[in-house]
Amino acid sequence: MESAEWTQDNNYISIATAGSPLELKARRIACQRVLLAQLNVIPIEEWMSRVNAMHDRIALTAAAICEAQMKEAGYGPPPCAYSFIVFGSAGRQESTLWSDQDNGLIVEGEPDGEKRSYFGAFGTMMSDVLEQAGYEKCEGKVMCSEPLWRKTLTEWKEQLHSWMNQLEWEPVRYLLIASDMRHVAGSEELSARWREAFHTGFAGNDKLSTAVLRNTVRHKATLNLLGQVLTERFGDHAGEFDIKYGVYIPLVNIVRHTALLHGIQDNSTLNRLRALEGLDKYPHLEDIRRAFLTALRMRVNTPYSDVEGLLSSSDYIAESDLKNKQLLSELRESLLIVRRLHKALQRQLRSAERR
């Protein structure tokens, strides 16, 4: 293991010295090989930490490459401080080896023409560099190339305020995406001020908490009335089980909602659970933690394809794997926990809406 860790550390260093998107891609692939060799050898929490450390180093290097390319293109250096931030699984430090882009930019100060010109080009370039390094562009367009996710701090505060006051499904969905924001590159102060504005808007806002709860209880049925696991009935994944939306995402959403309710500012699901333990208020947190780690482990072990060293997966457990009795037993146990939590949240929502 010492040899593997040494190789991994050297891969991290090599990522930091990449001078082009193609070099970045090659060094990512080298680091992935080491990580794949460690999968199911070390605890899943440690493995996920190493995977996400790789992603962070790649993003940090991509930002430096973009700044250099912007100078070469005649834009000069950044006209002010900025922060490159990530959302989604990247924000929670739960990215797999095949996760796509979920990112944004915070730009210092008030908006003006120079900033719009520079960071508009920078955001597009950053998204392109990451794509060349192996990160598919987000289908939902949560990327720094998009104006909705690339704003000055002043504009961001206005946007967050708007989402917090609309309370419909779509604005709350954007707000929940934003709630997993994590700083990766640039000005940490800008990210801290963004985070302060976000959590200030949640404090004591019961209507917003109810709206978040309404979004949270959307849930894909995964067990039938007899407690049997429901697999896909039709399509390319017939007979398979969607571990991402069947277990992982429901647990992420439930823990996130509870953490926001208590003003917990941690990003990762495991850190949110640890913070909730400190409240000594929720009796089943160890069960949730165990189910979540099971979901992580099953998700990163789903079948994947390898195209020129870059991986992709559907996040479905194969039908043949579901014949493994131990796997099926662990999956069913996790699903029972999800179902119990989901029913409790539905009761909370009905009570809140009556009030």
Side-chain angles (χ1 to χ4, degrees):
M1 183 55 68
E2 285 181 8
S3 174
E5 288 177 1
W6 181 85
T7 305
Q8 180 180 299
D9 288 343
N10 276 300
N11 278 313
Y12 287 162
I13 293 167
S14 75
I15 286 170
T17 58
S20 71
L22 289 180
E23 280 186 23
L24 202 51
K25 176 182 175 181
R27 294 175 189 189
R28 169 188 176 163
I29 291 169
C31 194
Q32 279 182 175
R33 290 196 193 103
V34 177
L35 290 164
L36 282 171
Q38 296 172 350
L39 179 60
N40 301 321
V41 176
I42 61 176
I44 185 62
E45 311 99 293
E46 176 60 25
W47 190 80
M48 292 299 292
S49 176
R50 294 180 185 187
V51 168
N52 284 271
M54 176 193 74
H55 291 314
D56 283 1
R57 283 169 170 80
I58 291 170
L60 194 60
T61 306
I65 290 171
C66 283
E67 285 195 28
Q69 290 185 351
M70 290 291 285
K71 287 179 183 176
E72 290 174 12
Y75 285 91
C80 61
Y82 72 92
S83 173
F84 176 77
I85 54 178
V86 290
F87 304 104
S89 60
R92 297 187 302 272
Q93 295 176 288
E94 294 161 9
S95 290
T96 63
L97 289 174
W98 47 78
S99 291
D100 62 1
Q101 295 187 42
D102 279 294
N103 53 57
L105 286 176
I106 309 168
V107 178
E108 184 181 44
E110 300 294 327
D112 62 37
E114 183 184 15
K115 291 174 186 175
R116 291 190 197 283
S117 173
Y118 181 92
F119 288 106
F122 181 91
T124 299
M125 187 180 291
M126 183 72 174
S127 188
D128 288 344
V129 167
L130 288 171
E131 184 180 37
Q132 291 169 62
Y135 298 90
E136 287 189 10
K137 290 186 175 179
C138 172
E139 287 187 6
K141 299 188 181 299
V142 182
M143 297 178 292
C144 58
S145 55
E146 302 297 318
L148 183 62
W149 301 98
R150 182 189 70 243
K151 300 178 184 296
T152 64
L153 183 60
T154 300
E155 292 171 317
W156 263 120
K157 287 178 177 179
E158 292 171 355
Q159 181 66 79
L160 292 172
H161 183 266
S162 173
W163 286 339
M164 287 175 179
N165 283 278
Q166 291 184 56
L167 304 183
E168 288 92 9
W169 171 263
E170 194 73 0
V172 174
R173 185 176 74 85
Y174 287 143
L175 198 60
L176 290 176
I177 292 170
S179 69
D180 292 328
M181 186 279 276
R182 185 169 62 85
H183 173 85
V184 173
S187 167
E188 290 190 31
E189 182 188 352
L190 282 173
S191 294
R193 290 167 66 189
W194 186 105
R195 195 176 296 110
E196 181 184 8
F198 178 91
H199 286 283
T200 297
F202 260 93
N205 192 333
D206 292 340
K207 287 184 178 179
L208 180 57
S209 294
T210 300
V212 168
L213 182 55
R214 196 174 296 119
N215 279 48
T216 300
V217 296
R218 288 282 186 100
H219 177 56
K220 183 177 184 175
T222 49
L223 291 170
N224 65 16
L225 293 174
L226 299 176
Q228 296 168 320
V229 175
L230 290 174
T231 55
E232 298 296 313
R233 294 181 62 192
F234 308 106
D236 295 339
H237 300 289
E240 300 177 354
F241 183 82
D242 184 351
I243 188 66
K244 179 178 179 181
Y245 287 101
V247 185
Y248 169 70
I249 290 295
L251 287 172
V252 164
N253 290 345
I254 289 165
V255 173
R256 181 205 288 123
H257 163 71
T258 312
L260 287 172
L261 198 63
H262 293 285
I264 292 167
Q265 297 194 20
D266 283 289
N267 293 75
S268 83
T269 304
L270 289 173
N271 284 346
R272 285 168 171 165
L273 283 169
R274 290 188 192 101
L276 289 169
E277 283 172 9
L279 300 177
D280 200 24
K281 186 174 180 179
Y282 298 97
H284 302 297
L285 293 177
E286 185 53 38
D287 291 341
I288 298 171
R289 183 177 184 276
R290 187 171 62 252
F292 181 73
L293 291 175
T294 296
L296 285 182
R297 178 167 45 80
M298 290 185 177
R299 189 179 178 207
V300 299
N301 278 287
T302 52
Y304 62 83
S305 59
D306 183 331
V307 180
E308 297 180 1
L310 298 175
L311 312 181
S312 62
S313 171
S314 65
D315 290 312
Y316 279 83
I317 300 175
E319 187 174 8
S320 57
D321 290 337
L322 291 171
K323 294 174 182 175
N324 181 310
K325 289 184 178 179
Q326 182 179 343
L327 182 148
L328 194 59
S329 174
E330 290 179 347
L331 176 59
R332 185 174 176 276
E333 184 181 340
S334 298
L335 289 171
L336 286 168
I337 290 167
V338 170
R339 185 164 73 176
R340 189 169 73 230
L341 293 169
H342 184 250
K343 286 182 176 179
L345 288 184
Q346 284 181 316
R347 288 193 297 271
Q348 283 183 31
L349 180 59
R350 286 194 293 270
S351 175
E353 289 180 333
R354 281 196 298 269
R355 288 197 301 269

